[in-house]
Amino acid sequence: MTYDVAAVRSHFPALEEGAAHFDGPGGTQSPRVVGEAVARMLGSAVANRGIVTRAERRAEDAVTQCRSALGDLLGTDPQGVVFGRSMTDLTYDVARMLAKTWAPGDEVVVTRLDHDANVRPWVQAAEAVGALPRFADFDPTTGELVPDDIAAHLSDRTRLVAVTAASNLIGTMPDIAAITRLVHERTDALVYVDGVHYTAHHTVDRIASGADFWACSPYKFLGPHCGVVAADPALLTTLRPDKLLPATDAVPERFELGTLPYELMAGTTAAIDFLAGLSGVSAGSRRDRLVAAYAELDKHERMLRDRLEPTVRDLPGVQVYSNATHRTPTLLLTVAGWDSQDVRGELAARWINAPAGNFYALECSRHLGLGDAGGLRIGLAPYTDENDIDRLLTALRALLLT
């Protein structure tokens, strides 16, 4: 099939404002059906989950349907899907919980490629119990993080390895399956994967990846603002989180604090169904349609990147830091003589949203030699079209060639 980006764009009310959005890595716009699903849930009779009243059943259905949808999206058992306020919030919860089992002298491995949400929670949790954080570096020239970079820090005291499936700053996609295989062969450590940026662009199969935990954020793939961590239910049964005494001990509910946001769960389900619809086919399971849709989305984004990237790299004074062989459609760049925030402002004045900064990938930005300032980040989304690319290129030429 041919990816019909004009048809896709017609579903996004936010695009009617007229801006070109290259800020997808920080959060995508949402299609109309997501807002409608959220509003419908908020406008319906809803109570605490149960099976007696219609209001109870409506809440129960929102939860089970969302877990099912996320299971299809992430290639994981729905009963291992934990819902929370944000990926950062959930990661702190998991880090504090696991740290209770660590002892002084134990070690955790984090990488300088990661968003700080997959660095600081582990570093702080380790330090709180006397465990030692180990930092795996990546090649700042190529942007590559390879399994050997992780292997150099493994020992019989390694308890956890935290690694990103795709850098939110430069797009690098490490070989997660190779990394998890290495870690599990050499240690008894768990592997916690930040899949936030990856899940927005590529098919996820948590089980095949070998990740013990896969974290993501629905608002990065067209949904509402919330967070998700997926794991094998059998693993979750071995973990003991802090919780209220009367709260259920069932998995995954024992990891979810308080009443769940049913409206956000309904919106997440709608976002996943919308993504599945991008396949252009109605036959097959939702999982099958999601795999097909991501294949089409990848082709579309590769076409746009091929149109964008060569010209950007040829602009005077531009240095591009997104150089890995396998990466998402994400470019980080700086311009000699320009503060990236000033470039951002000039583009914003032209209704082009391309933000600048380190985007919480602080270790990554520093390792690239950019300090805390980072650079200008250009990220593509399912609704990005060739006109957006041309608008951006025209604006950059006007700024840098005059």
Side-chain angles (χ1 to χ4, degrees), residues 109 135-139 144-154 182:
V109 179
F135 281 83
D137 288 336
F138 65 95
D139 187 320
E144 300 284 5
L145 177 77
V146 299
D148 284 348
D149 296 325
I150 303 290
H153 298 276
L154 298 178
L182 174 74

Side-chain angles (χ1 to χ4, degrees), residues 78-257:
Q79 290 307 115
V81 172
V82 179
F83 209 76
R85 185 175 67 83
S86 67
M87 179 271 184
T88 301
D89 195 50
L90 285 169
T91 303
Y92 264 111
D93 285 345
V94 176
R96 287 188 289 261
M97 175 181 59
L98 292 181
K100 294 178 181 180
T101 68
W102 301 340
D106 284 346
E107 298 173 353
V108 297
V109 179
V110 296
T111 90
R112 298 197 191 278
L113 187 66
D114 274 77
H115 186 290
D116 213 51
N118 205 30
V119 176
R120 218 56 51 191
W122 305 111
V123 170
Q124 292 168 350
E127 291 175 342
V129 297
L132 304 173
R134 303 295 189 193
F135 281 83
D137 288 336
F138 65 95
D139 187 320
T141 300
T142 65
E144 300 284 5
L145 177 77
V146 299
D148 284 348
D149 296 325
I150 303 290
H153 298 276
L154 298 178
S155 74
D156 59 1
R157 298 301 299 271
T158 305
R159 297 294 173 257
L160 181 125
V161 174
V163 61
T164 186
S167 165
N168 73 306
L169 191 64
I170 58 175
T172 299
M173 298 190 301
D175 187 340
I176 292 298
I179 290 172
T180 59
R181 185 164 54 249
L182 174 74
V183 173
H184 290 147
E185 287 175 353
R186 297 192 184 183
T187 75
D188 294 326
L190 297 169
V191 181
Y192 192 98
V193 175
D194 175 1
V196 171
H197 191 44
Y198 185 97
T199 306
H201 298 284
H202 293 281
T203 299
V204 176
D205 190 329
R206 185 204 63 80
I207 295 173
S209 77
D212 296 296
F213 300 92
W214 186 282
C216 64
S217 302
Y219 73 98
K220 301 297 179 75
F221 51 84
L222 313 182
H225 289 79
C226 48
V228 173
V229 170
D232 188 325
L235 170 61
L236 295 181
T237 62
T238 69
L239 306 178
R240 308 303 305 182
D242 290 330
K243 68 177 189 65
L244 300 181
L245 188 60
T248 179
D249 200 40
V251 169
E253 283 84 355
R254 74 184 184 203
F255 298 92
E256 296 167 334
L257 306 181

Side-chain angles (χ1 to χ4, degrees), residues 310-319 392-393 396-398 400-401:
T311 301
V312 169
R313 289 183 182 273
D314 285 342
L315 290 171
V318 169
Q319 181 172 351
L392 174 62
L393 290 175
L396 286 174
R397 287 193 191 99
L400 306 180
L401 297 178

Side-chain angles (χ1 to χ4, degrees), residues 4 10 71 119-120 278 282 326 334:
D4 189 346
S10 70
V119 176
R120 218 56 51 191
L278 298 182
S282 56
H326 300 290
T334 56

Side-chain angles (χ1 to χ4, degrees), residues 47-92:
N48 288 329
R49 295 168 61 187
I51 59 173
V52 177
T53 69
R54 293 175 67 181
E56 291 173 346
R57 292 197 300 272
R58 190 171 287 116
E60 184 69 28
D61 288 346
V63 174
T64 56
Q65 289 168 12
C66 184
R67 291 202 211 282
S68 177
L70 285 162
D72 288 341
L73 180 74
L74 303 178
T76 196
D77 188 329
Q79 290 307 115
V81 172
V82 179
F83 209 76
R85 185 175 67 83
S86 67
M87 179 271 184
T88 301
D89 195 50
L90 285 169
T91 303
Y92 264 111

Side-chain angles (χ1 to χ4, degrees), residues 20 22 307-308 311-312 315 343 346-347 350 352 378 386-402:
F22 293 97
R307 188 184 185 102
L308 169 71
T311 301
V312 169
L315 290 171
V343 179
E346 292 288 345
L347 293 175
R350 294 163 171 80
I352 297 171
I378 300 169
E386 293 179 71
N387 181 58
D388 289 336
I389 299 295
D390 292 343
R391 286 176 62 185
L392 174 62
L393 290 175
T394 298
L396 286 174
R397 287 193 191 99
L399 289 175
L400 306 180
L401 297 178
T402 58

